Amino acid sequence: MIAPGGTIGILGGGQLGRMMAIAAAQLGYRCHVYEPGRDSVAAEVSAQFTCAPWHDEAALARFAEGCDVVTWEFENVPVAPLAPIEGLLAPHPRALETAQDRLKEKRFVEGLGGVPAAYAPVDSAHDLAAAVDRIGAPGILKTRRDGYDGKGQWRIQTARDADAIRVPDAPTIYEGFVEFACEFSVILVRGRDGEVRFWDSAENTHVGGILATSTLPASAMVAEQVPAARDLAAQVAEALGYVGVLTLEFFATAEGPVFNEMAPRVHNSGHWTIEGAATSQFENHVRAICGLPLGDTATTAGQVVMTNIIGEDAQAAHECLGQPGAHLHLYGKRQARAGRKMGHVTRIGAG
């Protein structure tokens, strides 16, 4: 167990790290953020900040020397530079290696009995044509690495659309379209002793590839499919020897839950847990990686709706403060670019 006063290293300086650092402070821990960009909203609420490239071995070593444990707040942290500090990391970097490659991720989940959308690796225009011919259209061509919030994706409605796409000079994957009724996520926390706890699953809506709302309670269809989805998520966590908060996203379909993707970290669809659950995802992540007992994950309100605040909408965000049950979180970002997550508001109701 890491005693109060210890230091948690956070790789990445965005809003997830910011909320993690706030939760850590409440438990008596200091946070040290490592982030290549100078403008870090996580660093603003942390005790220390190292601004250096991911591949700066000396800077990463100095950072690690002052940390009792190191975690990350987004899954695109390069894995190779982490080898010298592997013993400090929680979760283990094998989770990053799996999640960073969509092809590897889908094969891994299939090996555990999960069902992803039909897919095929694509490395050339010929591969794409063959994939569309076999799987059909519509579908989505995605970069295997680094895509996030709809970036690095090309929608293909017909085979003719595929002919017009210039395949990127990087590994990609083609995924067939899934006929689904709604989307939901399974968020769990796994302790160092292997204990697993789940939060209730929110029903998610996306706009332009970006999460717009997460709502609880979810529909009856989601509720019916949560047990199978949880079983898969628990198997993923066990296979990875995972420690911390892990998220799997699913499509609810007539045939059952279809796996979409995993995020080895705290997740946007779990922001509602700050006010809507007995223990938030951020606090439980800190508890898990520090070897503390896990907190109760029960939902504490009859109805919870989390809404992302995107781009210029942040300028009017304070208007929600006059609404009963509204809890506003702005992330301190200076530029309100289109599509940028600036904050969120969680509305708590009796249901």
Side-chain angles (χ1 to χ4, degrees), residues 11-175:
L11 300 171
Q15 66 264 18
L16 299 178
R18 180 186 179 97
M19 288 180 273
M20 194 186 303
I22 292 171
Q26 291 175 328
L27 295 178
Y29 295 111
R30 295 162 54 87
C31 286
H32 185 168
V33 170
Y34 189 103
E35 160 66 38
R38 293 194 176 279
D39 187 12
S40 168
V41 296
E44 291 178 355
V45 297
S46 297
Q48 293 174 270
F49 178 34
T50 293
C51 181
W54 295 121
H55 293 272
D56 188 332
E57 295 180 6
L60 192 60
R62 288 193 299 270
F63 158 79
E65 284 175 2
C67 297
D68 296 288
V69 65
V70 176
T71 191
W72 56 79
E73 62 106 38
F74 82 127
E75 64 268 47
N76 288 334
V77 176
V79 174
L82 304 182
I85 65 169
E86 180 179 306
L88 282 174
L89 289 170
H92 191 278
R94 71 173 68 92
L96 283 179
E97 292 174 339
T98 302
Q100 285 179 356
D101 186 320
R102 285 189 170 94
L103 180 61
K104 180 182 290 188
E105 176 186 71
K106 291 179 186 298
R107 288 173 172 170
F108 170 71
V109 167
E110 276 187 318
L112 296 174
V115 179
Y119 67 92
V122 172
D123 295 307
S124 66
H126 178 269
D127 288 346
L128 178 58
V132 174
D133 183 62
R134 179 171 67 83
I135 296 173
I140 304 177
L141 179 68
K142 300 179 179 179
T143 54
R144 281 173 53 177
R145 291 182 174 270
D146 297 332
Y148 188 70
D149 282 344
K151 299 179 178 69
Q153 300 185 10
W154 298 265
R155 292 188 177 274
I156 296 174
Q157 296 298 127
T158 67
R160 182 169 294 181
D161 291 339
D163 293 338
I165 289 178
R166 184 176 180 179
V167 176
D169 187 22
T172 57
I173 185 171
Y174 180 71
E175 299 177 10

Side-chain angles (χ1 to χ4, degrees), residues 37 238 245 269 351:
E238 178 69 24
V245 169
S269 66

Side-chain angles (χ1 to χ4, degrees), residues 23 143 155 184 222 224 315:
T143 54
R155 292 188 177 274
F184 68 98
V222 169
E224 291 170 0
Q315 302 304 318

